[in-house]
Amino acid sequence: MPLPRSWQGRGMSRFSGMLTTLAAASTLVGVSVLPGAQAAVAAGNENMRISAYDIDYDLKRDGAVDVTENITVRFDDNSHHGLDRFIITAQGYNDEKHRVYPLTNVKVTSSTGAPSDVEKSADGAATRLRIGDADRTVSGVQKYTITYRLGGVVNKQPNGSTEFYINAIGQQWGIPIDKANVTLKGPAAVNDAKCFYGAKGSKQTCQATSGEQATFSARSVGNGEGMSIVSAMPTSAFTNTAPILEDGSAVEAYGSGGPFSQSTRKNLNLVGGAGTVGVAGLAGAWMLARRRKTGDQRFGGVTPGELPADGQRYDVVRGPEPEVAVRFDPPRDTTPGLMGTIIDRSADNRDVAGTIVDLSVRGYLTMTDLGDKDWLLTAQNPPGGDSLLPYEATLLNAVFAGGTEVKLSDLRNEFSGHLAEAKEGMYRETLERGWFDESPATSRAKAMGLVVGFFALALVSFFVASALNLNGFLFGAGFAAAGVFALFLSRSAGARTPVGSAVYDQSRGFELYLKTAEAKQFKFEEAEQIFSRYMPYAVVLGLAERWAKVFGEVAEAAAAQGYPLAMPYWYIPYGGYGGFSGFDDLGSGLDSFGEAASAALSSTPGSSGGSGFSGGGGFSGGGVSGGGGGGW
């Protein structure tokens, strides 16, 4: 149930230079390899979009499928003749065989009167359907209906089911598709169905419903993003589930030679090698220059961890981290979650787990150890004299959204979205406090985008060059080296401001205290309060067991002198208070809570394996490829 209102909260890019410079180098290499293809794709798909793409699959007992595609296209000018539809009709199988999907019964009509002549031709492992009339152009909204049959499309599984796994919308569509709807019927009811959409390898799910007629739907696909569907039916419903295989690998069947002569290949390889050296050198020089200009800012001439006094003159400097002195309490007004964020520039799962422990210490909930790495969280009346930061209120409301009691295990697969909101709230809080000029998450995303971009360019360059029978290594190595340089640079993404560095140094000093504190330093009358107050910070820093061990020694010494320490009220051990066997077990339990909470709160429904249902699923994860298309 919702929480009471009294629980509600209170109130560059440093990488753009390199991206621009090195992307220019990438463009030179890319254009030198495939100038004509790039221009053709761009020209063929301008000024058009698909507003609706409806597909009906009628799966047959012999393993074939009858397909009806109803495509509604909007042509914004009269520069197009119709559609180009590419249907994958062969795929690799092993080194000796390749799999084919015979395409028959092709027919095209148009209810809007668009030219529906179809020219069928082979295009490597695909069959190309050029729909339209070379002497006529089309404009406005046009509707096309394409029907055909594909053979040998099912995949028998060892669990007694047979799957139909197809990229209904292939990633080769180079134009936007507003919405896609798919229906599937077969020789038996569909007893399981899944849908994925996005870029290749995406695990993002779309709507899927099983039954006598399965349905699937997705929005905003095309432009390199596709939609895969997978369904399962009993194998007994089919008379033939064997793949159709032909001799020779896919490479042997569809060719791998290049269009260049031996001398041309040699010259192009020399160009690729020179480009590798140039790109890698440019990336290395840029990284060295950036390292001199970026990094944490600090108050020059001020003791580490301190802020300048009013009127004190100071310079803002950059440099290595200074040594810090032990600090006996956390930075002022810095919660455990915020301390974790400033220390490693990341609001991570352990920071959220430490926040839950902190809210328990402050009286917002109690934690009951249920054993088997599970805890019962029970909401309490909000304590007086305390208020919540916005991210704390977000987290607390999300944890108890379903009632005043919840098991940690019940949040598994349900909480990841709320976890992201809480983390984002931590980043916002650090920005409002002036600890960072830009959210570390944003800086890191930019840095990793650069890393991914360069590694993607490396892979694309390697495979494109290899497909053209050139030396793929020479063309890809430079971008790979640039990616390594960018990865190294990403470690410092999210530089701290001078104020942020001061808080960071204070936090390091407090962390040093938690690592080195000894039992003899504590007064018995203060020990209980200090133990509970600092435990959430110990959870965030991975020091819960050590902190509890120290207080176990304090409790033994206190008991020996007739001053027994009470068990913390906010944590109920396994078996109740009668089961409390010492502070050491409490520390171990809280350390386990941090690990279990990190796993449970971040988990999402997922799968793994070879079939579409066992985790090999995802867009373009397997099965028949849907190909793509565009205009012409």
Side-chain angles (χ1 to χ4, degrees), residues 139 160 229 242 258 301 331 350 370 487 506 512 534:
S139 61
I229 68 167
R350 186 168 283 274
L370 301 177
L487 182 62
Q506 293 175 26
L512 186 60
Y534 292 169

Side-chain angles (χ1 to χ4, degrees), residues 114 130 210 557:
R130 170 156 283 194
S210 58

